[in-house]
Amino acid sequence: MDFRRFLKGYYIVNAILLIVYPVSRVAWIRMTPGLSAADTMGYTRETNFLGILAMIAAIKFYKSATAEQFFMEIFFYGKVFIFGLYIFVDPKISIIYLFASIVIWLFFKLPKYDGPTRMVRIQNEEEFNKLISKETRVGNKVASPSELPYEKMSKMWFVELYVDWADTCQYTKSIWAEFSNKYTTERFGFATVNLQKIPEIAKRFQINTSGLSRQLPTLILFEEGKEYIRFPPIEEKTGKIGRVLKYDKKQLAKYFDLEKRFLATREAAARKS
């Protein structure tokens, strides 16, 4: 993991907002004559707040799909707890802290992933059709994926469909980049589609891009130019989308059978050469 990406402004200013409370509390106690550590709200209540925050951190560490998601949620809960602590110390300070948190939320967004990747960025629907929707013909008919072994298929594609404004799409980017770096072969590619720029693709694959959507990001595996499997899945009978509790890297690699597809297409390319 490249830890340098956590030295960006978003992480630094949010970390400062978490550190400012203990620093200000200690400074206030030491600079106020006759004030002891047990005065005002007291360390006992602060310890209780810290214990609850530590429990939340442990739960989020287990449930978070990536380090980006973990930090994003810890920053949020940490600021909520500190706002509550400042209310007990001085309501005026709590309002200033709330204002500072809102300003930082407005101007410092979760950074986009800019690490190594082999994902192909698709710019328009025409490029999508040309790149993804290729078919293999058997005689005079188009072959279905079930009729062909991996090595005889046209290029398979794992496609991430996302929007820029959704935090879920941003903090899972590193997972798909890692998949692309690990599993890309000559006949197994990885691509990414921004649905804000190509809304026709969202409509075509029935992906809801509203603020209440449970489909962002959507991952689709294409075989022979057709959708073979997707996540989150859509129930065929009801059309309902299941709630995603976690974008688990290992489970998703298994769900899409990436290792098997990688080995089959790599061996096919080796035999061809």
Side-chain angles (χ1 to χ4, degrees):
M1 180 185 292
D2 185 4
F3 292 98
R4 289 175 297 180
R5 69 178 187 267
F6 299 115
L7 298 177
K8 295 182 178 179
Y10 169 84
Y11 298 102
I12 293 173
V13 296
N14 278 284
I16 290 172
L17 277 180
L18 297 188
I19 296 171
V20 70
Y21 178 80
V23 172
S24 63
R25 276 286 282 154
V26 171
W28 183 37
I29 291 170
R30 290 185 176 181
M31 293 173 63
T32 305
L35 188 66
S36 67
D39 287 330
T40 63
M41 69 173 292
Y43 278 163
T44 301
R45 187 174 293 172
E46 289 174 335
T47 302
N48 291 338
F49 271 63
L50 182 60
I52 296 172
L53 183 59
M55 290 175 59
I56 292 174
I59 294 170
K60 293 301 178 181
F61 182 80
Y62 173 75
K63 290 187 174 182
S64 295
T66 61
E68 289 88 344
Q69 181 185 3
F70 173 73
F71 282 120
M72 183 187 73
E73 296 193 353
I74 289 303
F75 288 150
F76 172 76
Y77 285 105
K79 286 181 285 189
V80 169
F81 273 73
I82 290 174
F83 172 72
L85 288 169
Y86 270 132
I87 289 177
F88 288 100
V89 175
D90 188 335
K92 293 180 181 179
I93 298 178
S94 69
I95 293 173
I96 295 172
Y97 186 82
L98 177 62
F99 177 76
S101 298
I102 293 173
V103 169
I104 286 175
W105 175 74
L106 289 172
F107 291 97
F108 290 88
K109 299 297 184 181
L110 186 69
K112 294 182 179 181
Y113 177 80
D114 59 359
T117 182
R118 299 179 72 181
M119 301 281 284
V120 176
R121 189 175 297 278
I122 295 176
Q123 302 295 340
N124 51 60
E125 189 175 14
E126 182 181 356
E127 185 180 352
F128 180 91
N129 293 334
K130 183 178 180 180
L131 194 64
I132 307 297
S133 299
K134 289 184 178 181
E135 300 172 332
T136 298
R137 304 189 71 87
V138 177
N140 294 322
K141 70 173 184 176
V142 176
S144 67
S146 60
E147 295 177 317
L148 296 170
Y150 293 150
E151 60 269 18
K152 291 186 178 181
M153 289 182 181
S154 61
K155 190 168 185 175
M156 292 183 291
W157 286 94
F158 177 99
V159 182
E160 172 213 12
L161 301 111
Y162 74 99
V163 293
D164 280 326
W165 55 261
D167 287 335
T168 311
C169 294
Q170 296 304 326
Y171 66 63
T172 55
K173 281 282 185 184
S174 59
I175 299 178
W176 324 134
E178 183 177 338
F179 282 174
S180 72
N181 293 329
K182 183 176 181 180
Y183 296 115
T184 294
T185 68
E186 184 181 335
R187 304 184 73 171
F188 188 20
F190 289 75
T192 181
V193 176
N194 188 335
L195 298 177
Q196 290 174 272
K197 295 182 178 180
I198 321 177
E200 300 84 2
I201 298 295
K203 184 177 181 181
R204 178 171 164 184
F205 292 100
Q206 299 179 307
I207 300 172
N208 179 5
T209 58
S210 72
L212 299 176
S213 176
R214 292 182 175 181
Q215 296 177 273
L216 300 171
T218 289
L219 299 315
I220 300 181
L221 182 72
F222 290 89
E223 292 183 351
E224 293 305 298
K226 299 176 182 178
E227 177 181 335
Y228 179 73
I229 189 173
R230 75 161 64 188
F231 185 89
I234 301 176
E235 294 183 16
E236 292 185 9
K237 294 183 178 180
T238 64
K240 292 183 178 179
I241 293 92
R243 182 182 178 186
V244 179
L245 298 177
K246 180 181 179 180
Y247 284 86
D248 186 272
K249 182 167 57 177
K250 291 182 180 179
Q251 291 298 323
L252 285 170
K254 185 177 180 181
Y255 178 82
F256 286 102
D257 211 359
L258 298 182
E259 187 70 27
K260 183 177 180 180
R261 286 178 165 81
F262 166 72
L263 293 174
T265 53
R266 186 184 65 175
E267 290 169 2
R271 287 195 297 270
K272 183 179 178 181
S273 60

